[in-house]
Amino acid sequence: MAENFTNPFDELRSLPNFQIPLDLFVSKKSEGLGTRRFLRFTDSDGNLVYKVQKLSQNLAGDDAHCVKLLLDSSGNTLFSIKRVSKGSWRGFRGNGNEEKDLVFIVDRKLDESTRTEFKIILVSQNNEDSKTELLMTGCPFKRACTIYKGDSIVAQSSLMHKLGTGEIFVPRNRFRVTIFPGFDDHSLVVALIVIYFNGRKLWI
């Protein structure tokens, strides 16, 4: 397996402006016996890059099930992801939950058995009239999601059927997210992927 994969971060350090795609691998893991499983994003060597944590009821009251935190490998909160209604989400920088902390707005426009589509607005804090729109579409059952900025692909997720040269098949509870050059906020892409697959029974 090691012969077929290299650490993407080693290559990124030597190339300007992230000129190669970055692969992250999505799975769920328990921190200990009897503990809740959490969504994790690792590099090709299995090193933790991001993980998702639900707020406890002690912290968020009745809205605990609607708030998720995207953390880096050191446990720092990068985004607070809040579901404000069915099919509608807001993303805040860090632990923020006020308008000044708002980074993105996500609204589901289509939800069918074979296709789901979201519209994303990236909110600029420097200029209220300056907003970037993204489109996120695909089929959650196939672990397929594509994020577009205009006609350009920002990121894609896909199943991994096998690794290496042998017949080593990867379970459907693990899939890949590829982030393409030109969109440097990788944590934002991960936050959108979390929203896209929210509530889907991916781990059976």
Side-chain angles (χ1 to χ4, degrees), residues 109-154:
K109 299 300 182 182
L110 182 68
D111 188 14
E112 299 178 346
S113 58
T114 59
R115 185 183 174 200
T116 303
E117 184 174 302
F118 292 82
K119 178 181 178 181
I120 301 132
I121 296 177
L122 305 182
V123 180
S124 172
Q125 299 300 325
N126 298 323
N127 183 352
E128 293 184 357
D129 295 328
S130 178
K131 296 182 179 179
T132 301
E133 290 191 8
L134 304 177
L135 176 67
M136 183 164 58
T137 183
C139 178
F141 176 75
K142 295 180 179 180
R143 282 41 160 193
C145 172
T146 302
I147 302 175
Y148 296 93
K149 180 181 179 183
D151 295 328
S152 300
I153 296 177
V154 171

Side-chain angles (χ1 to χ4, degrees), residues 6-15 20 22 43-45:
T6 58
N7 188 336
F9 296 108
D10 291 338
E11 294 177 322
L12 286 175
R13 294 187 188 103
S14 61
L15 292 175
I20 61 170
L22 171 65
D43 63 21
S44 59
D45 291 325

Side-chain angles (χ1 to χ4, degrees), residues 63-124:
D63 291 331
H65 64 287
C66 297
V67 181
K68 296 182 178 180
L69 303 180
L70 178 63
L71 312 176
D72 64 15
S73 58
S74 298
N76 300 310
T77 303
L78 304 176
F79 287 104
S80 299
I81 306 168
K82 183 176 183 180
R83 190 180 68 213
V84 294
S85 63
K86 186 176 181 180
S88 184
W89 297 79
R90 300 293 181 268
F92 301 89
R93 186 73 65 179
N95 289 302
N97 59 6
E98 299 179 1
E99 194 69 24
K100 64 181 179 62
D101 304 310
L102 183 64
V103 177
F104 60 82
I105 300 169
V106 178
D107 290 306
R108 186 168 56 210
K109 299 300 182 182
L110 182 68
D111 188 14
E112 299 178 346
S113 58
T114 59
R115 185 183 174 200
T116 303
E117 184 174 302
F118 292 82
K119 178 181 178 181
I120 301 132
I121 296 177
L122 305 182
V123 180
S124 172

Side-chain angles (χ1 to χ4, degrees), residues 4 162-167:
N4 297 288
K162 65 179 180 178
L163 299 176
T165 57
E167 296 298 317

